[in-house]
Amino acid sequence: MMIVVQRALGAFISPNPLASHDKFAHAVSNALALNSLTGPAFEVKTGELELEFDSKTLVAFAGDSEVYVDGRRVEPWAAYFAKERVTLKTTGRAYISVRGLRGSIRRKQVLKSGEAYPLEQLNGINESDLRALRVPSTLRFANGDWLEAVARIQRHLGMVLEAVRKGAEQVKVRVGGGEFEVWVLELS
């Protein structure tokens, strides 16, 4: 399995969060892709990145951006299956993590069209799991220690993924004039 860079403007591959400008968003994109938090990610700064895949691949996005998966616009701060390509455009900074991205990436490097990166084939994720692999707006900012914030997101993702796998459904409720998303699991 391979990823091929089709277009890269203001785009880099960063070996780990410590080499990235936004450590928090880098680590969150990896958490959403169910990778090691310290794994590599693609970083885009005021630019665009288009990646092509040779098979169905789990991709995750963190940061304020315009994201397209297989030609369909999707929300950032979530994970999706891509069958052919993803495009990310940003006027700020955003990150793309790809499940199983590997290679000997030792330092942050500028991406070039035509470059290819190998992927490990990892199983165990199904379409229904994707409902759990998104970050609520209330958790999208580090607000202090980025490691603690990422740990909160990992706990959240783990709990929601477990609930989804047990059959939980997401509903919206209004409380005090605000609308909130909650997960409901019927217990027998």
Side-chain angles (χ1 to χ4, degrees):
M1 296 176 51
M2 295 290 277
I3 306 171
V4 178
V5 176
Q6 293 299 312
R7 182 175 40 233
L9 303 167
F12 308 84
I13 188 160
S14 183
N16 58 60
L18 296 178
S20 290
H21 184 269
D22 186 340
K23 297 167 185 58
F24 172 73
H26 180 130
V28 169
S29 69
N30 270 324
L32 286 165
L34 304 176
N35 286 336
S36 164
L37 295 181
T38 60
F42 297 103
E43 178 179 340
V44 183
K45 179 188 177 219
T46 313
E48 181 177 348
L49 178 60
E50 185 176 326
L51 302 172
E52 187 174 90
F53 304 94
D54 62 2
S55 60
K56 184 176 174 181
T57 305
L58 183 68
V59 295
F61 307 92
D64 295 325
S65 55
E66 188 176 314
V67 179
Y68 296 87
V69 174
D70 296 330
R72 177 178 50 97
R73 186 162 184 183
V74 298
E75 293 297 315
W77 296 98
Y80 304 91
F81 281 120
K83 294 177 183 149
E84 295 174 10
R85 72 180 58 235
V86 299
T87 304
L88 180 142
K89 299 175 184 177
T90 184
T91 56
R93 195 176 305 267
Y95 294 82
I96 302 174
S97 287
V98 180
R99 180 140 167 90
L101 178 62
R102 60 185 173 91
S104 57
I105 304 156
R106 301 194 192 299
R107 60 181 171 76
K108 191 172 180 177
Q109 301 170 22
V110 174
L111 290 173
K112 297 179 183 104
S113 295
E115 290 181 322
Y117 294 90
L119 294 176
E120 293 177 20
Q121 188 157 5
L122 301 170
N123 300 319
I125 305 300
N126 60 51
E127 294 286 338
S128 64
D129 291 343
L130 295 180
R131 295 180 302 141
L133 297 177
R134 57 190 229 47
V135 178
S137 58
T138 55
L139 296 178
R140 292 182 184 170
F141 304 96
N143 293 332
D145 184 345
W146 69 274
L147 282 172
E148 286 180 22
V150 171
R152 277 192 303 276
I153 289 171
Q154 277 190 301
R155 282 191 304 275
H156 169 81
L157 294 174
M159 288 187 298
V160 174
L161 190 56
E162 181 180 349
V164 165
R165 288 178 174 168
K166 289 180 178 179
E169 295 294 329
Q170 188 178 42
V171 297
K172 291 185 180 185
V173 296
R174 291 183 193 265
V175 177
E179 187 173 274
F180 301 90
E181 295 175 345
V182 296
W183 290 92
V184 178
L185 179 62
E186 184 177 326
L187 300 175
S188 50

